Every structure is written in C-alpha cells, then in structure tokens.
Amino acid sequence: AGLLGLDEADLWPEIRAAIAARSRPEEIRAVYPNWQAVPEELWLCLFTSAEHEIGILDDRGLLLADQAVLSALADKAQAGVNVRICLLDPDLSEVTEPGSDRATVREIGTEVRDALSRSGPLRDTGVQFRLHAVTLYQSIYRGDGQLLIVQRAYGIPAMRAPAFCLRASGEGRGMIPAYLESFERIWD
C-alpha cells in the first residue's frame, strides 16, 4: 500500500470494516447530524428501558414538551427509578449559550419556564428538578448505562448540533464516565 500510495482498504476492501471498528470507541452506537434526527423511538427507549437512573441535563427542556416522554418519566419515577432533570435557570440575564445573544437568552428563559410548567405533575412522582447556571458544552440524556449526547459547537444552536448515542461497553472506562462526571458536577 505504501509503495503504491494507496490505503490498505483500497487494496483489501474486506479489511475496511475492521479498520473502521478500530477507529472509534466501542461505546458509540449511533451518530446523528443533529438533535432532531434522533428517532423518537430512541428517546423513548432510552427512558423506558432504565431500571435505576434517568438523567436529563439540558438548557431548554424541549424534550419535556413530548407527552410520551413525560409519561415515561412519570412511570419510571413511580416505579422507583431515580429521575433527575437539570435545566438552565430561566432567571439568568447573562449570555449562557456559546455564541448566543441576549434575545436568545430571553427565549431560552421562556422555553425553560414552559418546560417547568409542563412538567409540574412530575414533581408528585418523585422526579427531582434543579436549575443550573453554567455554559453547557453538551446536553446529556441518560438511561442507566446508555447516553444520548448533543455535542455543542460555538455559535450553532443546540438543535443543530451533532448528537450521538453511547452505550456502556462493560469496561468501566471510555467516554461515558467523563459525561457522567460532568452531569454530577453540574447537578451538585
């Protein structure tokens, strides 16, 4: 391959899959061009399959506009699953989303207030809510050992940022612990 100036996979196409598998962590299950491209079934499966822990770390709480998601969260909380939701404090006046302007911050505050009012009935089921005041570099959605991550990019609205699904590989190391630590630091 070196003598011909070609990639090994060009000479031996059957090894292309093996090379691709080595180039990304085993935890990555799916990659989506943006938040809206994540199938609704995946959002619901993330939450309905959880037996111990559900976590949502987000700015706006737009996912809480989906009645099926709200129902799944309520059902899981009533079944004893620890459900925690952490959204941006809607009363902040500073720019908190990278590349946003003050008008956007006001819009975010309105969306968070709407999400909190829609999710009011969840409080009776034991769902825990907190507000954060940090700039998020990613939104984290957790269902036990599976995560959906919306990875932010400066100046790009979260709705247009890439998203990926991670599932614990059993090794106890890799990408997931870093995201879970980030979640816990902001939650605390």
Side-chain angles (χ1 to χ4, degrees):
L3 288 174
L4 296 173
L6 298 171
D7 187 88
E8 291 175 4
D10 292 332
L11 295 175
W12 299 284
E14 61 276 6
I15 68 168
R16 188 175 308 275
I19 292 171
R22 286 193 319 246
S23 69
R24 65 177 166 83
E26 184 180 325
E27 295 167 293
I28 298 177
R29 301 301 183 183
V31 178
Y32 302 94
N34 56 56
W35 187 86
Q36 294 171 314
V38 177
E40 183 178 358
E41 300 80 34
L42 183 57
W43 288 109
L44 289 175
C45 182
L46 176 71
F47 300 131
T48 59
S49 66
E51 297 179 3
H52 305 286
E53 178 85 25
I54 292 174
I56 296 174
L57 172 63
D58 195 8
D59 280 344
R60 302 169 188 240
L62 296 177
L63 192 60
L64 300 176
D66 187 312
Q67 189 57 47
V69 168
L70 286 175
S71 294
L73 295 174
D75 291 347
K76 286 299 179 171
Q78 289 173 333
V81 174
N82 184 28
V83 180
R84 300 183 294 164
I85 299 172
C86 190
L87 303 176
L88 182 70
D89 184 340
D91 295 324
L92 291 176
S93 59
E94 296 180 23
V95 175
T96 55
E97 186 170 284
S100 67
D101 58 24
R102 293 203 182 279
T104 303
V105 171
R106 282 193 298 275
E107 291 169 12
I108 292 171
T110 299
E111 290 170 348
V112 171
R113 283 185 193 87
D114 289 346
L116 290 171
S117 68
R118 280 190 304 275
S119 59
L122 290 179
R123 295 178 200 284
D124 297 333
T125 65
V127 173
Q128 302 170 64
F129 285 88
R130 289 196 181 164
L131 300 175
H132 69 80
V134 300
T135 299
L136 290 184
Y137 298 103
Q138 68 279 324
S139 294
I140 301 171
Y141 307 91
R142 175 187 188 188
D144 288 339
Q146 184 171 309
L147 303 176
L148 272 168
I149 305 295
V150 177
Q151 191 63 53
R152 305 297 179 84
Y154 184 83
I156 304 299
M159 299 291 285
R160 289 187 25 228
F164 52 95
C165 180
L166 301 175
R167 187 170 303 137
S169 62
E171 297 175 7
R173 55 191 167 97
M175 299 170 65
I176 288 178
Y179 287 111
L180 293 179
E181 181 179 341
S182 177
F183 183 101
E184 294 302 330
R185 286 180 180 218
I186 295 170
W187 181 261
D188 288 342

